Amino acid sequence: MGKKDKNKKKGKGAEKTAMKTDKKQAAKQKKMLEKLGEADIAEVVKSLEAEEGRIKAITEEICPPPTPRANFTLVSHPDKEELIMFGGELYNGAKVTVYNDLFFYNIPRNEWKQLKSPSGPTPRSGHQMVAVATDGGQLWLFGGEHASPSQLQFYHYKDLWTMSLKTRQWNKVTAPNGPSARSGHRMVASKKRLFIFGGFHDNNQSYHYYNDVHVFSLESYQWLKIEIAGTIAPAVRSGCCIAAAPDGKIYIWGGYARTSMKKDLDRGITHTDMFSLDQDKSGGDKYKWSMVKAGGYRPKPRNSVGCTVAPNGKAYCFGGVMDVNEDDENVQGQFGDELLAFDLSTQAWRLLDVVAKSKKKKDNEKSNDVEMDENAAEPAKSVTTTTDGIFTVTVGGSQPSTPFVSGIPSLFGNKRRTDAPAPRMNPGLCVCKGNLYLFGGLYEEDEKQHTLNDFYALDLHKLEQWKVIIAGNQKAHDWIDDSESSSSDEECSDDDDDDDDDDDDDDSSGMDTD
């Protein structure tokens, strides 16, 4: 009895310590927010919702191209030569700006229009949006996050929206049993259903990554109660790629997750594995995951890749990033500029080489689609790299760990291209009438984060040359050195630490008795 009571007492002590730590963190953040004059993020979102409700009429006006942004969504109209963009964010070194503007790009006229419609979604990034052909065309949007200007607060959404492309009216769909609030998830439409996978939730004090699957019926407007059979399932992740095959299978690959190993030690994982989700043979709402051994070219490890599916049954991917030299304050990334195609029928990768027609004639043996031999069909193996003795960055896979030397081009010191998309992460990517369109995204150089609004098109039948619609500009937005504000934040943090020390002194005797 004595040992049992003693263990129980220790448990209460650990719980009390955790609660105390949470209170200290909350008090520290509150103090910093007061210093910055920043309102509570929940109240900010309520104010933004009220602002959307004050819009009384639908307006659509010709406008300049969208400003630089990342973590937005770009889709093609299901029937017209038109692209549709929503949301995103910009960080300028001092603050984050989050958007909820809705743009329509008329391809034949090279013309942008901004649509404002009453009671629509509030500003967000890291959300997902798809377009379907039902009833003259519909947009479906789920989740995302709203970061405060200081990035000390995050509000994660779990709302589901639809817009009729015929009436230009937003409608918030209220249905029980939907996914929890998140961003960085992936969503795709297939067989009159929406499929949502993964994502993460981060309140700047703790984080959680997901690997759950949620299915929404586009016929009944209800979240379906599904069952995942078997023991195989992807690990938790965000920023992965998702694609719906013509036969109804849902593919996911890549992505990223962080895991807290112990105090002052996190592990970052860049996944290289691939899975397919298919309805179980028994039918109904029962699904099953299977591992996929993709053939052909072996993509480099990366996350936050731009990905889209074309009517030809191929998924096209561009860019992405793998974090290196990671510590608690700084993360350097290696960015990619490869254009890849994944055949959803043959489950094979190809590296697409965009080559001018004149160059092709000089080298007839060189194909636009670079494909490796069958020995390259094995999935990329996992790798673990330890940096600074504090953090470990892991490239994940289903095979045992082996050393890996990344071939992803680094941007440091390199001149960026202007005739084709340069390396980046989180670009907008979509296919319309046989052309691949790419917009924006971001890359990092030294301590600066460059957010882009360049715009390109590529004829997928010819693969000869990127068409530059809006040229790249490294100075597309101002960058503000926030060293002064960082210093003041550190001073505030130091003050808080002093307060915490005082609290510890006051409560030390109480902790000993536990």
Side-chain angles (χ1 to χ4, degrees):
M1 285 297 293
K3 184 178 289 186
K4 184 177 180 182
D5 289 342
K6 186 177 182 180
N7 290 337
K8 185 176 181 181
K9 191 175 183 181
K10 283 186 177 180
K12 285 184 177 180
E15 182 180 351
K16 184 177 179 181
T17 302
M19 291 175 63
K20 184 177 177 183
T21 301
D22 290 342
K23 287 180 180 179
K24 287 182 179 179
Q25 290 177 339
K28 182 183 291 186
Q29 177 162 306
K30 183 178 180 181
K31 191 172 182 178
M32 293 181 70
L33 294 176
E34 289 175 352
K35 187 179 183 70
L36 294 169
E38 192 172 283
D40 180 76
I41 190 67
E43 295 301 318
V44 171
V45 171
K46 282 184 180 180
S47 176
L48 291 169
E49 289 173 347
E51 186 177 326
E52 288 298 309
R54 287 193 288 270
I55 299 175
K56 300 301 180 184
I58 298 173
T59 60
E60 192 168 2
E61 298 178 353
I62 296 175
C63 65
T67 54
R69 64 192 62 207
N71 300 315
F72 58 96
T73 44
L74 181 71
V75 300
S76 61
H77 194 290
D79 300 318
K80 300 178 181 178
E81 286 190 77
E82 193 171 62
L83 309 183
I84 308 167
M85 178 189 297
F86 179 85
E89 64 182 352
L90 167 70
Y91 177 63
N92 70 353
K95 68 175 184 177
V96 173
T97 303
V98 189
Y99 305 105
N100 70 332
D101 35 17
L102 180 64
F103 295 99
F104 288 78
Y105 175 69
N106 186 292
I107 296 171
R109 293 201 296 264
N110 187 26
E111 179 183 86
W112 291 91
K113 286 186 177 181
Q114 184 174 0
L115 174 70
K116 293 185 178 180
S117 184
S119 302
T122 48
R124 66 192 65 201
S125 64
H127 56 282
Q128 287 285 278
M129 185 175 76
V130 299
V132 298
T134 307
D135 295 333
Q138 296 175 341
L139 297 178
W140 286 87
L141 183 151
F142 176 81
E145 68 180 55
H146 186 108
S148 68
S150 67
Q151 297 188 89
L152 288 174
Q153 302 180 87
F154 295 92
Y155 185 95
H156 291 265
Y157 294 97
K158 60 178 180 178
D159 47 357
L160 178 65
W161 295 83
T162 183
M163 167 178 270
S164 167
L165 294 175
K166 189 163 54 178
T167 66
R168 305 301 218 217
Q169 181 66 56
W170 283 109
N171 179 44
K172 187 175 182 179
V173 179
T174 55
N177 305 316
S180 59
R182 64 189 67 196
S183 62
H185 53 286
R186 293 297 179 256
M187 182 171 77
V188 71
S190 177
K191 308 295 183 183
K192 298 183 179 180
R193 292 182 172 187
L194 299 178
F195 291 80
I196 293 175
F197 171 81
F200 75 100
H201 184 281
D202 184 352
N203 63 7
N204 221 14
Q205 296 178 15
S206 63
Y207 56 83
H208 185 80
Y209 286 82
Y210 302 101
N211 67 341
D212 48 357
V213 179
H214 297 268
V215 181
F216 181 82
S217 171
L218 295 176
E219 295 177 305
S220 66
Y221 279 30
Q222 294 294 322
W223 292 102
L224 303 178
K225 187 177 181 180
I226 66 167
E227 179 184 352
I228 303 295
T231 58
I232 296 174
V236 297
R237 66 193 69 193
S238 71
C240 63
C241 291
I242 189 169
D247 62 2
K249 286 184 180 178
I250 309 297
Y251 290 84
I252 70 105
W253 64 91
Y256 176 85
R258 290 187 73 168
T259 302
S260 179
M261 305 295 291
K262 57 183 180 180
K263 185 177 181 181
D264 298 328
L265 178 64
D266 274 13
R267 183 173 62 138
I269 302 173
T270 299
H271 293 285
T272 60
D273 48 8
M274 176 180 284
F275 296 84
S276 66
L277 181 71
D278 196 11
Q279 274 193 307
D280 193 70
K281 292 180 180 180
S282 61
D285 293 326
K286 194 173 184 179
Y287 290 84
K288 185 177 182 180
W289 284 109
S290 301
M291 290 195 68
V292 177
K293 277 192 174 184
Y297 180 81
R298 183 183 299 166
K300 297 179 178 68
R302 66 191 59 195
N303 63 84
S304 301
V305 175
C307 181
T308 187
V309 177
N312 63 1
K314 292 182 180 180
Y316 292 91
C317 301
F318 184 90
V321 65
M322 185 175 76
D323 291 340
V324 294
N325 300 331
E326 181 179 1
D327 60 42
D328 197 31
E329 297 296 333
N330 300 289
V331 178
Q332 291 181 341
Q334 288 186 323
F335 295 78
D337 63 352
E338 290 181 333
L339 177 61
L340 304 172
F342 179 69
D343 192 311
L344 295 166
S345 299
T346 64
Q347 298 183 348
W349 283 105
R350 291 181 184 271
L351 172 64
L352 303 184
D353 191 11
V354 180
V355 182
K357 193 173 184 180
S358 59
K359 189 174 181 180
K360 290 180 187 178
K361 290 182 179 180
K362 294 179 181 179
D363 190 3
N364 292 327
E365 295 181 0
K366 186 174 182 179
S367 170
N368 282 335
D369 295 353
V370 179
E371 185 171 2
M372 295 177 66
D373 57 31
E374 292 299 323
N375 293 329
E378 298 180 6
K381 298 179 179 181
S382 63
V383 57
T384 302
T385 304
T386 303
T387 60
D388 300 330
I390 300 176
F391 284 84
T392 303
V393 179
T394 304
V395 179
S398 59
Q399 303 297 323
S401 298
T402 57
F404 173 81
V405 179
S406 174
I408 302 176
S410 173
L411 295 181
F412 305 112
N414 293 338
K415 186 176 181 181
R416 293 176 64 81
R417 298 181 62 178
T418 57
D419 61 334
R424 68 193 65 201
M425 63 182 283
N426 286 325
L429 209 66
C430 68
V431 173
C432 185
K433 309 298 181 184
N435 287 282
L436 178 69
Y437 292 88
L438 185 151
F439 186 99
L442 67 86
Y443 74 99
E444 297 164 356
E445 187 174 21
D446 298 327
E447 299 299 320
K448 294 182 179 180
Q449 181 173 294
H450 298 274
T451 307
L452 309 168
N453 68 334
D454 50 352
F455 191 24
Y456 303 88
L458 177 67
D459 188 329
L460 293 174
H461 301 293
K462 298 179 180 179
L463 292 174
E464 290 179 355
Q465 185 176 6
W466 285 96
K467 177 184 176 182
V468 182
I469 303 174
I470 301 175
N473 179 7
Q474 285 186 275
K475 297 181 179 179
H477 65 90
D478 294 330
W479 181 262
I480 301 173
D481 186 356
D482 66 342
S483 57
E484 294 183 4
S485 61
S486 297
S487 298
S488 64
D489 289 346
E490 290 174 3
E491 291 174 6
C492 181
S493 180
D494 291 340
D495 293 341
D496 291 333
D497 291 339
D498 293 340
D499 294 341
D500 293 345
D501 292 339
D502 294 339
D503 290 341
D504 290 339
D505 293 339
D506 293 341
D507 294 339
S508 59
S509 60
M511 289 302 297
D512 290 339
T513 59
D514 287 343

